[in-house]
């Protein structure tokens, strides 16, 4: 018996959407958790005495290399990630990345020296990037339009699910009187990849990718099954399918090469924004908390293994809660207000952080140490309200389908390239400059705020106040498609006429 769907009701009242989103959680969202696990694991094991002793108390450039080698592997995976996603689909690409991560985690756990540890982390970074380049596209391209923005924003917040698991795992294993105090967290890094690859085959392929591969019947069947409870006569799904097909038809008339990222002024602007979304959060100062919390805490007199791992665990839980709250604000508040308010608050917090660090350096007062901790919590709160949910969601929104896979691969590669530099430099800066190193982040955040103000457009969808029935929605989508074709034809005619002029 066919069940008709009211597309204006919440998603949790649509049984098919509930099933789809429950599959998406381990089949796509978990990829973000895999990325988050690494940063918190490295944060935690740097506070584990057994790890420090086993690798000879690494610090400065050596410690930076041990962290930065993972994003270096990610940079090398940028092209394969885009190729696999475009050529073989989102699911196959994610499965390949999962297998590589599992291999890397096994080598990491068995590491007998620094070289072996470095190789394993390069492999993990390579695999994570292949998986993470496709996962957010799967979320966006499978989600119902009414919940797409929230789901895409929520994707990156699951980064903190992995970080929470890693933080509390290292807090617990730090008490083990053997090398398993750090080897157990290392092998558990394969867990998100194992969950992902085990559930991936229950997840449908992206309808947009299927339509792009001339497999429209499969795409329509997926949309009908999950967005309309198998109702073949659902007008909304018919309009949705037609809109996807018309959009892809017009978009695919152009080139799908890497050069398309910079071929036109709009695409150059989009590509610049993608790179900004990669560089800005990575170099904002969050990397200090994500990978080098232990050295930061030691700089303000907190040296106990138990206190460092405990603070790391508390911070990761707070990060996840705030990031999820921020993801739900995206559609209500809009992108620009969040970007501007969050970056302004981060700048203020970093300035106070710098001042408190300066006071502690001179006086070693407990009040100054507590002040730094308060500033850290204020800073990560401001960051997670905006930059965590929108780092991935914003690029997905602004990238058209033909360059989406390449744009997302560029995003992940740029994130990891920035992270490589950041993670290599941070321990050197902390060791040599202490609190003075934070001055750079104050200056950088000022630049970020300026660029966001002048260059980041709003992408919030403004819905009509009156509810539209399915026939009206179908008519609007059809008219928009015709209007887009007309605009493209006019632009082409203008270009041709300009070329004919002497």
């Amino acid at each position: 018996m066919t069940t008709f769907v009211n597309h204006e009701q919440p998603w949790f009242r649509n049984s098919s959407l509930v099933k789809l989103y429950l599959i998406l959680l381990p089949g796509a969202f978990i990829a973000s958790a895999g990325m988050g696990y690494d940063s918190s694991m490295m944060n935690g094991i740097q506070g584990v005495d057994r790890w420090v002793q086993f690798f000879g108390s690494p610090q400065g450039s050596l410690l930076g290399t041990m962290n930065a080698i993972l994003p270096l592997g990610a940079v090398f995976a940028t092209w394969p990630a885009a190729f696999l996603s475009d050529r073989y689909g989102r699911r196959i690409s994610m499965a390949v990345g999962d297998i590589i991560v599992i291999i890397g985690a096994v080598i990491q756990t068995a590491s007998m020296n620094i070289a072996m540890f470095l190789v394993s982390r390069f492999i993990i970074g390579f695999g994570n990037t292949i998986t993470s380049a496709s996962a957010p596209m799967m979320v966006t391209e499978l989600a119902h339009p009414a919940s797409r923005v929230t789901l895409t924003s929520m994707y990156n917040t699951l980064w903190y699910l992995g970080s929470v698991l890693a933080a509390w795992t290292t807090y617990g294993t730090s008490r083990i009187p053997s090398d398993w105090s750090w080897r157990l967290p290392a092998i558990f890094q394969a867990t998100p990849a194992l969950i992902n690859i085990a559930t991936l085959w229950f997840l449908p392929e992206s309808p947009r990718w299927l339509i792009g591969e001339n497999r429209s019947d499969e795409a329509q069947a997926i949309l009908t099954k999950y967005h309309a409870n198998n109702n073949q006569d659902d007008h909304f799904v018919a309009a949705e399918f037609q809109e996807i097909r018309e959009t892809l038809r017009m978009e695919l008339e152009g080139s799908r090469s890497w050069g398309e990222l910079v071929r036109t002024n709009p695409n150059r602007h989009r590509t610049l924004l993608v790179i900004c979304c990669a560089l800005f959060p990575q170099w904002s100062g969050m990397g200090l908390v994500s990978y080098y919390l232990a050295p930061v805490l030691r700089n303000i007199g907190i040296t106990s293994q138990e206190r460092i791992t405990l603070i790391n665990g508390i911070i990761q839980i707070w990060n996840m809660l705030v990031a999820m709250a921020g993801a739900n604000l995206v559609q209500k508040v809009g992108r620009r207000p969040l970007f501007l308010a969050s970056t302004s608050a981060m700048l203020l917090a970093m300035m106070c952080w710098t001042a408190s660090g300066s006071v502690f350096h001179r006086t070693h007062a407990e009040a100054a140490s507590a002040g730094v901790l308060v500033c850290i919590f204020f800073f990560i709160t401001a960051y997670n309200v905006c930059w965590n949910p929108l780092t991935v969601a914003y690029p997905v929104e602004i990238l058209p389908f033909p360059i989406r896979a390449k744009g997302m691969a560029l995003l992940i590669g740029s994130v990891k390239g920035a992270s490589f530099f950041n993670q290599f430099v941070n321990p050197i800066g902390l060791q040599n400059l202490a609190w003075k190193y934070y001055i750079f982040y104050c200056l950088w955040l000022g630049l970020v705020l300026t660029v966001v103000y002048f260059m980041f457009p709003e992408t919030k969808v403004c819905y009509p106040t009156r509810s539209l029935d399915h026939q009206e929605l179908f008519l609007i989508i059809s008219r928009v498609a015709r209007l887009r074709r007309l605009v493209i034809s006019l632009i082409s005619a203008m270009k041709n006429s300009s070329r004919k002029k002497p």
Side-chain angles (χ1 to χ4, degrees), residues 250-297:
M250 291 183 289
E251 291 178 342
L252 292 175
E253 290 176 354
S255 169
R256 299 184 73 177
S257 68
W258 282 90
E260 191 65 22
L261 288 171
V262 293
R263 193 178 306 279
T264 64
N265 283 333
N267 279 359
R268 282 192 286 271
H269 189 188
R270 292 185 181 103
T271 302
L272 176 61
L273 292 178
V274 167
I275 294 173
C276 287
C277 285
L279 300 185
F280 287 176
Q282 288 300 312
W283 291 348
S284 66
M286 192 63 184
L288 294 169
V289 183
S290 298
Y291 277 89
Y292 297 106
L293 182 63
V296 168
L297 294 179

Side-chain angles (χ1 to χ4, degrees), residues 403-458:
I403 61 172
R404 184 172 294 160
K406 293 178 176 61
M408 291 306 295
L410 176 64
L411 173 72
I412 301 299
S414 298
V415 165
K416 295 307 178 182
S419 182
F420 169 76
F421 176 81
N422 201 25
Q423 291 174 30
F424 181 78
V425 170
N426 273 339
I428 300 174
L430 288 171
Q431 183 183 21
N432 296 327
L433 298 175
W435 68 271
K436 296 177 183 177
Y437 182 56
Y438 305 143
I439 296 174
F440 162 79
Y441 287 109
C442 294
L443 298 174
W444 174 256
L445 285 167
L447 174 63
V448 171
L449 184 60
T450 303
V451 173
V452 167
Y453 182 82
F454 287 105
M455 298 195 66
F456 276 49
E458 179 59 74

Side-chain angles (χ1 to χ4, degrees), residues 86-353:
D86 274 341
R87 179 67 180 85
Y88 298 104
R90 315 311 192 206
R91 292 196 308 171
I92 295 296
S93 177
M94 292 167 67
V96 171
D98 290 334
I99 293 170
I100 295 172
V101 169
I102 294 168
I103 293 171
V106 171
I107 298 173
Q108 178 177 249
T109 306
S111 295
M112 300 305 297
N113 50 52
I114 291 177
M116 194 172 176
F117 191 78
L118 292 177
V119 169
S120 71
R121 292 186 55 70
F122 182 94
I123 294 172
I124 292 171
F126 193 95
N128 263 337
T129 298
I130 293 176
T131 301
S132 300
S134 291
M137 290 189 291
M138 282 289 279
V139 173
T140 299
E141 293 166 2
L142 280 170
H144 190 283
S147 50
R148 183 171 295 149
V149 172
T150 300
L151 279 181
T152 306
S153 301
M154 286 290 289
Y155 170 81
N156 214 40
T157 66
L158 267 290
W159 193 93
Y160 288 120
L161 175 62
S163 68
V164 168
L165 293 174
W168 288 102
T169 297
T170 53
Y171 177 73
T173 62
S174 64
R175 294 165 171 77
I176 299 175
S178 70
D179 288 341
W180 285 106
S181 59
W182 65 268
R183 292 189 191 274
L184 277 178
I187 192 59
F188 288 158
Q189 188 160 7
T191 303
L194 287 169
I195 295 173
N196 189 215
I197 201 169
T199 56
L200 196 56
W201 312 110
F202 299 99
L203 189 68
E205 183 55 88
S206 160
R208 287 179 178 267
W209 183 82
L210 290 171
I211 294 173
E213 295 295 309
N214 296 318
R215 295 162 61 181
S216 297
D217 292 342
E218 296 176 57
Q220 189 164 26
I222 290 171
L223 291 173
T224 301
K225 178 180 179 180
Y226 290 104
H227 290 190
N229 282 335
N230 275 324
N231 177 17
Q232 303 289 337
D233 301 319
D234 190 275
H235 294 291
F236 184 92
V237 167
E240 184 184 13
F241 175 78
Q242 182 66 19
E243 188 271 338
I244 294 173
R245 190 165 62 177
E246 286 294 320
T247 301
L248 291 183
R249 185 189 66 78
M250 291 183 289
E251 291 178 342
L252 292 175
E253 290 176 354
S255 169
R256 299 184 73 177
S257 68
W258 282 90
E260 191 65 22
L261 288 171
V262 293
R263 193 178 306 279
T264 64
N265 283 333
N267 279 359
R268 282 192 286 271
H269 189 188
R270 292 185 181 103
T271 302
L272 176 61
L273 292 178
V274 167
I275 294 173
C276 287
C277 285
L279 300 185
F280 287 176
Q282 288 300 312
W283 291 348
S284 66
M286 192 63 184
L288 294 169
V289 183
S290 298
Y291 277 89
Y292 297 106
L293 182 63
V296 168
L297 294 179
R298 290 187 182 112
N299 277 346
I300 56 172
I302 300 175
T303 58
S304 165
Q305 170 183 276
E306 183 173 356
R307 287 192 68 190
I308 291 174
T309 53
L310 178 62
I311 291 172
N312 184 39
I314 294 172
I315 282 178
Q316 302 313 324
I317 292 176
W318 180 249
N319 282 340
M320 184 169 67
L321 294 175
V322 175
M324 287 183 173
N328 285 283
L329 287 174
V330 169
Q331 186 57 32
K332 296 177 182 178
V333 177
R335 287 58 162 169
R336 270 184 65 84
L338 277 181
F339 275 128
L340 292 171
S342 170
T343 308
S344 299
M346 289 165 64
L347 175 58
L348 176 62
M350 184 57 70
M351 292 170 66
C352 295
W353 183 350

